Amino acid sequence: MALVALAGLRLAASPVLKKLIANASTYLGVNMAREFHELETTIMPQFKLVIEAADRGNHRLMLDKWLQELKEAFYMAEDLLEEHEYNLLKRKANGKDFLPANASSISSTLMKPLRAASSRLSNLSSENRKLLRQLNELKATLAKAKDFRELLCLPAGSNNAECSTLPSAAVPEATSLPPLKVIGHDMDRDHVIDSLMKTTATGSSTAMYSSLAIVGVGGMGKSTLAQYVYNDKRVKEYFDVTMWVSISRKLDVRRHTREIIESASQGECPRIDNLDTLQRKLTDILQESGKFLLVLDDVWFEPGSEREWDQLLAPLVSQQIGSKVLVTSRRNTFPAALYCEEVCPLENMEDTQFLALFKHHAFSGPEIKDRQLRETLEDFAEKIAKRLGKSPLAAKVVGSQLKGKTYITAWEDALTIKIDKLSEPIRALLWSYEKLDPCVQRCFLYCSLFPKGHRYTVRELVHLWMAEGLVDSCNKSKRAEDVSWDCFSEMISVSFLQPLYGCPTPFGMHDLLHDLAESLSKEEYFRLEDDKVTEIPSTVRHLSVRVDSMMQHKQSICKLLHLRTIICIDPLMDDVGDIFNQILQNLKKLCVLGLSSYSSSKLPESVGELKHLRYLNIIRTLISELPRSLCTLYHLQLLLLNDKVNRLPEKLYNLRKLRHLERHVDYIDTSCKTLLPQVPNIGKLTLLQQFEKFSVQKKKGYELQQLRDMNELRGTFKCHKSRECHWKG
């Protein structure tokens, strides 16, 4: 419970809020750096001690009330500060800025006193009086941290700031996949492969496949063994087409059929709502090939779901006998339609194999040249491995967390872990989570917004983490994108994300890690995955949608007045135009909006009312026309378009915070981009990171001098009919 409260507090006290407050102190005169320091150096690092001390002194109710007040105050302050900044950006876009953007430093210095006087006068407005009142209330609430420290007799904190930049030299590049090394499963692999390559009768005149199941408790290595088999040279040569789909508990016939098609064709499945059409398409693909292998990872067969399984497996018809379905599951009961001929229970690893697995991850960092230190750490490794309950997932995560650490205290701390049963590796995962940098913790929790089995891409998460304000650069020389990439790399380094083999997009999260993220973030994040859900908790601020129809959930969603995120994971089956208009009317605090299957060709004008919006993704929609009001979304940082948008609003240059403007053909392969229409006065978008081609024209707004201040451009940039320039990123 303490960790849930701490996680919620860290999400509320986001880097973007602290940056806004720091900026506000210059023109609103409310400085709370000292109060933030007390919170970050005393309360947060000693949160467990705070809770324990509060329990001992019967102060827990008072502490819980303060934490809730603090969270609400953080969110309220961020909303008001963003609205204030929005109005400043609006004035600048309308040409009412006190000084032009290219004013000299001398004139800027001379005008500073006048600007300060103007700011103080503007503070007298009713809007700013409300903001000042809220900031002073937040400051007073923050100040109680010192009172609690003294009341609970806690020592004063250190000077370590939370916002430390991750050491980029210690983390690998996120783009280079680590080699798949499997320890202790060679005999299991060979047995499974032999069974897969054995042609047997299925007992059915129509089914041209049979199945084999790998069964074991969570974190035991079932998926790892399946990957080992899937990527074996013998398997690739024997089967003509191989497919990998993660079921992850809830079977969805339409969605999983689409994923099987995408895995078989290694590309996007056209948007088809009709299940019969989808199944015929899959049947055609399989009949054109020979033998197939389909891996269904993490299957949970629920009684009463036989009909859905019959539907999913019906198209699996091959021209040749010998096709197979390989299943991984925590249970050993399966639907009849799978024709499961053999169940392979995964046994515990031998002690020597388990120790080798732990050491592989713990010592995979830089070589330890000090022989005595290496021997000491080897001794610690043996003791720690004995406390991990022979859970391969625990060995991987704890070992990865210790990788590169040469100070004894880190290894001694790992000896506090004790797993009594193989089925309880969550303690080890929690220990590893607590060792993460707070910035990485926030990013990890955000991953729970996506369903189990989701295929994470680097660009997707980097863009969303930035837009949500989860990461920011304390070092002015480091971009928020770079900090996000460091967080992603760190999650790979500690095995919280791992490469997915045989999938078009390469990273996944183990179910148990996903469970951990979900349990810690349940007050803030919610996945709408079940049509039976009738109510969404009022504390939810981030929502993902994965249902066929949003119509029945419209009222529940519109009640979430503090909602900041709506992401549609899968295409919706109904027309969301009316629902979207209602959402725009009610949910004014949205920062992130990812639409899917929006059937109208035009984005409504009312989108301009979303003053806080930083991220808009319409790649998976039919939208081809953007409204003029889009140019009033002054906080917008990322605008991701589909290839149907052939014209941009004339005043797009008013979006001074825009960092990424992209147009995609394929929503699965986000590297598949097309050239954007020209943007007049593009020189005002000085934060833009990439723009492939600029056509110099004689018309105003298309002059070569537009490029003068665009110093953030990365990659290759082409000046049409002029010369090609390169910016190093």
Side-chain angles (χ1 to χ4, degrees):
M1 194 64 192
L3 279 173
V4 174
L6 179 58
L9 194 58
R10 281 200 168 127
L11 288 170
S14 64
V16 70
L17 170 63
K18 284 180 277 185
K19 187 174 182 179
L20 283 167
I21 287 177
N23 292 340
S25 66
T26 61
Y27 53 78
L28 293 174
V30 182
N31 191 329
M32 55 186 83
R34 183 183 300 171
E35 288 79 9
F36 257 117
H37 182 78
E38 183 78 36
L39 178 73
E40 291 183 332
T41 61
T42 300
I43 300 296
M44 286 184 170
Q46 307 179 89
F47 204 75
K48 283 185 177 179
L49 288 176
V50 172
I51 297 292
E52 289 171 6
D55 284 338
R56 284 196 305 270
N58 294 320
H59 302 301
R60 183 60 185 273
L61 287 176
M62 188 167 59
L63 178 64
D64 288 344
K65 183 182 177 185
W66 173 67
L67 290 173
Q68 190 59 37
E69 286 177 0
L70 188 56
K71 253 174 65 172
E72 294 300 323
F74 278 148
Y75 282 124
M76 178 69 78
E78 183 176 341
D79 289 339
L80 290 173
L81 284 164
E82 284 217 323
E83 285 182 25
H84 183 81
E85 189 172 338
Y86 176 91
N87 292 329
L88 295 177
L89 291 166
K90 183 179 179 180
R91 286 176 59 83
K92 190 171 185 178
N94 292 334
K96 296 178 182 177
D97 202 21
F98 207 84
L99 283 175
N102 59 350
S104 69
S105 59
I106 296 176
S107 61
S108 177
T109 303
L110 291 173
M111 298 300 284
K112 266 185 181 179
L114 292 176
R115 278 189 156 185
S118 173
S119 293
R120 285 193 293 272
L121 286 172
S122 70
N123 290 345
L124 298 177
S125 69
S126 60
E127 184 182 275
N128 282 1
R129 282 201 299 270
K130 180 182 177 183
L131 175 56
L132 280 166
R133 186 169 62 251
Q134 181 62 41
L135 287 178
N136 281 312
E137 286 178 9
L138 173 58
K139 183 173 182 175
T141 307
L142 269 170
K144 292 180 183 178
K146 184 179 180 182
D147 298 338
F148 271 106
R149 176 171 64 79
E150 293 172 352
L151 177 68
L152 302 175
C153 302
L154 295 171
S158 66
N159 291 318
N160 295 330
E162 177 185 314
C163 188
S164 58
T165 305
L166 294 172
S168 55
V171 293
E173 289 289 330
T175 53
S176 57
L177 296 178
L180 180 61
K181 183 174 179 63
V182 181
I183 295 173
H185 283 307
D186 288 357
M187 290 179 63
D188 293 324
R189 175 203 58 191
D190 292 340
H191 174 73
V192 171
I193 290 175
D194 288 343
S195 298
L196 290 176
M197 295 172 65
K198 190 187 303 178
T199 303
T200 57
T202 63
S204 169
S205 59
T206 55
M208 302 292 287
Y209 66 89
S210 59
S211 302
L212 173 71
I214 302 171
V215 176
V217 298
M220 198 171 184
K222 302 180 296 297
S223 298
T224 300
L225 175 58
Q227 287 178 341
Y228 202 17
V229 169
Y230 188 87
N231 288 279
D232 192 275
K233 183 180 178 182
R234 292 166 288 178
V235 169
K236 294 296 183 184
E237 291 176 350
Y238 183 78
F239 294 101
D240 299 289
V241 59
T242 55
M243 301 160 284
W244 182 292
V245 172
S246 177
I247 301 297
S248 291
R249 302 204 180 185
K250 190 174 185 296
L251 178 64
D252 183 325
V253 178
R254 185 180 284 104
R255 174 169 59 83
H256 287 122
T257 301
R258 187 180 288 111
E259 289 181 2
I260 293 172
I261 292 171
E262 289 172 350
S263 184
S265 60
Q266 293 294 296
E268 177 188 357
C269 174
R271 198 185 70 174
I272 301 169
D273 297 339
N274 186 282
L275 179 59
D276 181 67
T277 307
L278 278 171
Q279 291 192 322
R280 288 180 183 276
K281 182 174 180 62
L282 177 56
T283 299
D284 291 343
I285 291 172
L286 297 180
Q287 287 190 341
E288 288 174 5
S289 63
K291 295 187 291 292
F292 66 79
L293 170 65
L294 170 62
V295 177
L296 298 177
D297 188 36
D298 197 21
V299 166
W300 291 66
F301 174 58
E302 300 290 348
S305 63
E306 290 87 351
R307 182 173 175 274
E308 285 84 357
W309 279 102
D310 289 345
Q311 281 185 309
L312 179 73
L313 301 169
L316 302 185
V317 178
S318 174
Q319 293 293 332
Q320 293 184 30
I321 295 176
S323 292
K324 299 282 183 176
V325 177
L326 178 61
V327 173
T328 70
S329 179
R330 298 187 197 182
R331 305 174 180 176
N332 60 1
T333 54
F334 304 99
L338 268 175
Y339 301 105
C340 188
E341 295 185 329
E342 184 180 355
V343 174
C344 300
L346 210 53
E347 302 294 340
N348 285 353
M349 297 178 72
E350 298 291 335
D351 289 344
T352 53
Q353 292 175 339
F354 187 76
L355 179 59
L357 175 65
F358 178 74
K359 285 184 175 180
H360 166 69
H361 292 286
F363 296 111
S364 61
E367 182 184 356
I368 301 172
K369 295 181 179 179
D370 185 326
R371 183 177 174 184
Q372 185 176 356
L373 175 62
R374 172 76 187 207
E375 289 177 355
T376 302
L377 296 184
E378 292 264 6
D379 290 339
F380 271 108
E382 290 187 23
K383 294 174 184 175
I384 294 168
K386 290 176 181 178
R387 303 180 68 84
L388 297 181
K390 290 193 177 179
S391 167
L393 178 62
K396 185 176 183 180
V397 170
V398 175
S400 297
Q401 184 62 251
L402 292 171
K403 177 176 57 182
K405 292 184 170 67
T406 54
Y407 43 95
I408 302 297
T409 53
W411 292 72
E412 286 177 335
D413 190 48
L415 286 173
T416 61
I417 304 169
K418 177 62 177 172
I419 300 176
D420 298 319
K421 298 179 183 177
L422 181 59
S423 58
E424 296 177 355
I426 197 72
R427 295 180 189 175
L429 307 187
L430 193 56
W431 177 87
S432 187
Y433 165 80
E434 290 177 313
K435 304 302 174 190
L436 296 175
D437 182 273
C439 182
V440 183
Q441 287 182 351
R442 282 189 289 266
C443 293
F444 166 65
L445 296 182
Y446 190 82
C447 293
S448 70
L449 196 57
F450 296 90
K452 288 186 177 181
H454 184 72
R455 303 167 189 171
Y456 299 95
T457 66
V458 183
R459 291 178 65 83
E460 171 188 48
L461 286 181
V462 164
H463 283 172
L464 286 168
W465 290 340
M466 284 173 48
E468 298 283 11
L470 300 180
V471 299
D472 201 0
S473 175
C474 295
N475 182 349
K476 301 248 183 197
S477 65
K478 197 160 193 178
R479 302 178 308 148
E481 286 88 349
D482 297 329
V483 179
S484 296
W485 274 74
D486 285 347
C487 288
F488 193 94
S489 298
E490 179 69 4
M491 285 175 64
I492 295 170
S493 177
V494 297
S495 299
F496 273 48
L497 284 174
Q498 54 194 8
L500 289 178
Y501 295 87
C503 297
T505 51
F507 297 98
M509 180 177 288
H510 194 281
D511 274 4
L512 293 180
L513 282 163
H514 195 282
D515 287 340
L516 175 63
E518 187 176 338
S519 68
L520 294 174
S521 64
K522 58 187 176 184
E523 292 183 358
E524 315 285 331
Y525 296 99
F526 189 84
R527 297 192 313 277
L528 182 57
E529 297 178 300
D530 193 341
D531 283 323
K532 295 177 183 177
V533 171
T534 56
E535 200 67 35
I536 302 172
S538 60
T539 58
V540 168
R541 294 177 185 268
H542 307 276
L543 177 72
S544 66
V545 179
R546 201 187 198 190
V547 291
D548 287 344
S549 172
M550 276 183 69
M551 191 62 68
Q552 68 188 78
H553 305 288
K554 179 174 62 175
Q555 289 186 340
S556 296
I557 294 174
C558 288
K559 286 180 184 176
L560 303 172
L561 300 181
H562 299 293
L563 199 65
R564 292 168 174 244
T565 303
I566 295 181
I567 297 175
C568 296
I569 303 293
D570 288 330
L572 298 163
M573 297 299 110
D574 53 8
D575 182 2
V576 297
D578 177 56
I579 301 170
F580 181 59
N581 286 328
Q582 287 206 28
I583 286 172
L584 290 178
Q585 291 172 19
N586 291 276
L587 308 179
K588 303 291 188 182
K589 296 181 180 179
L590 282 179
C591 297
V592 168
L593 181 59
L595 295 175
S596 183
S597 299
Y598 186 77
S599 53
S600 173
S601 63
K602 184 176 180 180
L603 195 65
E605 284 283 341
S606 52
V607 73
E609 297 175 22
L610 300 178
K611 292 182 179 181
H612 299 271
L613 201 65
R614 303 183 200 132
Y615 174 103
L616 178 60
N617 185 337
I618 60 169
I619 296 173
R620 292 187 289 172
T621 70
L622 299 176
I623 293 170
S624 59
E625 188 177 346
L626 303 176
R628 287 184 297 177
S629 65
L630 184 77
C631 303
T632 64
L633 299 176
Y634 302 120
H635 278 301
L636 199 64
Q637 298 177 20
L638 300 107
L639 179 56
L640 309 179
L641 309 172
N642 59 40
D643 61 338
K644 298 173 183 63
V645 177
N646 294 313
R647 186 179 178 185
L648 298 173
E650 184 182 353
K651 293 187 178 181
L652 197 76
Y653 57 79
N654 280 336
L655 305 183
R656 308 292 179 93
K657 285 196 166 189
L658 198 63
R659 302 178 69 87
H660 296 273
L661 175 61
E662 300 174 1
R663 189 167 70 157
H664 297 260
V665 178
D666 187 337
Y667 75 86
I668 292 177
D669 181 7
T670 55
S671 64
C672 188
K673 293 187 286 187
T674 59
L675 289 176
L676 284 155
Q678 292 297 293
V679 178
N681 296 302
I682 194 173
K684 294 184 179 181
L685 303 180
T686 55
L687 296 179
L688 206 61
Q689 304 289 304
Q690 195 171 15
F691 198 80
E692 288 85 355
K693 189 175 181 180
F694 178 72
S695 178
V696 179
Q697 302 174 32
K698 293 182 179 179
K699 291 191 297 184
K700 186 178 179 181
Y702 297 92
E703 309 90 344
L704 185 60
Q705 69 183 36
Q706 290 288 332
L707 308 178
R708 182 181 57 192
D709 298 320
M710 299 186 70
N711 301 320
E712 296 293 322
L713 287 174
R714 261 72 176 167
T716 300
F717 177 79
K718 291 184 179 179
C719 240
H720 189 53
K721 294 184 180 177
S722 179
R723 64 182 183 274
E724 186 174 293
C725 310
H726 295 271
W727 279 263
K728 293 183 179 179

